[in-house]
């Protein structure tokens, strides 16, 4: 393949231009093309990271260099008797940590939800005929067949729609 897939704006191109860019056809890819693309792009799956405990996410909010400097400023302020300054800085650090924690926690939950929504199988054209494959074996250029109620198994550009 000539280009990396992320560079191409498929939504703005005509069907034949998309097929040309992906070096594909309405008959689908050959077995050899599929094998080459799987070697280049890998499997079509969302990588499952190790589950991060909420306390780990919270602890990570306090390890940036700026936060460490602010924590040191809190300690110095308390030592020299500037309690109001220390409390103001402490409130800022706590609010920052809370916002960071909730953003990262929601992101973790979103990834888990996406993993649960992935379709297990996909109907595709390969070698000019319909096949049912595991969706993790989809590659750029595959012609996916969708019917009403199907989960979309990968990012895709609609080439034809029949109502």
């Amino acid at each position: 393949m000539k280009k990396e897939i992320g560079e191409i704006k498929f939504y703005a191109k005509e069907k034949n231009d998309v097929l040309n860019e992906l070096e594909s056809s309405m008959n689908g890819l050959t077995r050899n093309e599929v094998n080459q693309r799987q070697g280049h792009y890998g499997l079509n799956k969302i990588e499952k990271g190790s589950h991060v405990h909420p306390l780990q996410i919270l602890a990570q909010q306090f390890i940036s260099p700026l936060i460490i400097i602010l924590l040191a400023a809190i300690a110095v302020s308390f030592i020299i008797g500037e309690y109001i300054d220390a409390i103001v800085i402490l409130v800022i650090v706590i609010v920052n940590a809370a916002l960071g924690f909730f953003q990262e926690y929601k992101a973790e939950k979103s990834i888990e939800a996406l993993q649960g929504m992935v379709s297990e199988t996909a109907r595709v054209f390969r070698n000019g005929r319909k096949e049912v494959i595991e969706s993790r074996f989809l590659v750029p250029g595959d012609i996916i067949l969708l019917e009403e109620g199907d989960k979309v198994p990968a990012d895709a550009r609609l080439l034809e729609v029949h109502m």
Side-chain angles (χ1 to χ4, degrees):
M1 306 231 15
K2 298 174 250 176
K3 297 181 180 180
E4 287 301 313
I5 298 303
E7 298 175 20
I8 304 169
K9 296 180 179 172
F10 295 113
Y11 62 86
K13 296 190 177 250
E14 295 295 323
K15 174 172 89 171
N16 289 331
D17 294 335
V18 170
L19 291 170
N20 288 335
E21 290 280 346
L22 291 172
E23 298 173 5
S24 187
S25 74
M26 292 301 288
N27 291 324
L29 301 170
T30 65
R31 183 68 45 212
N32 187 37
E33 290 170 324
V34 169
N35 291 337
Q36 286 178 336
R37 293 173 194 212
Q38 282 178 342
H40 181 76
Y41 295 106
L43 295 177
N44 173 45
K45 65 179 186 174
I46 298 173
E47 293 295 327
K48 289 185 178 183
S50 59
H51 179 70
V52 181
H53 193 277
L55 289 177
Q56 262 183 309
I57 296 172
L58 183 61
Q60 289 172 351
Q61 304 308 308
F62 295 99
I63 60 172
S64 79
L66 181 60
I67 297 300
I68 292 170
I69 290 169
L70 289 173
L71 292 172
I74 292 168
V76 169
S77 295
F78 268 119
I79 290 170
I80 64 172
E82 296 292 333
Y83 302 115
I84 293 176
D85 290 347
I87 291 171
V88 168
I89 297 170
L90 181 62
V91 168
I92 291 169
V93 168
I94 290 171
V95 168
N96 179 66
L99 290 174
F101 169 79
F102 287 118
Q103 283 182 322
E104 287 189 39
Y105 185 75
K106 284 173 60 175
E108 286 286 326
K109 292 300 177 189
S110 295
I111 289 170
E112 288 175 16
L114 280 173
Q115 290 169 342
M117 294 172 61
V118 174
S119 177
E120 298 293 325
T121 60
R123 285 184 307 282
V124 296
F125 270 125
R126 287 201 176 155
N127 296 314
R129 46 175 225 244
K130 294 178 186 177
E131 292 183 23
V132 176
I133 63 168
E134 291 182 46
S135 62
R136 64 190 175 117
F137 295 120
L138 287 169
V139 295
D142 264 328
I143 303 299
I144 303 169
L145 304 168
L146 296 173
E147 294 179 2
E148 185 177 339
D150 285 351
K151 291 181 181 178
V152 179
D155 289 347
R157 157 65 157 81
L158 297 178
L159 299 176
E160 292 182 5
V161 177
H162 301 280
M163 293 189 192

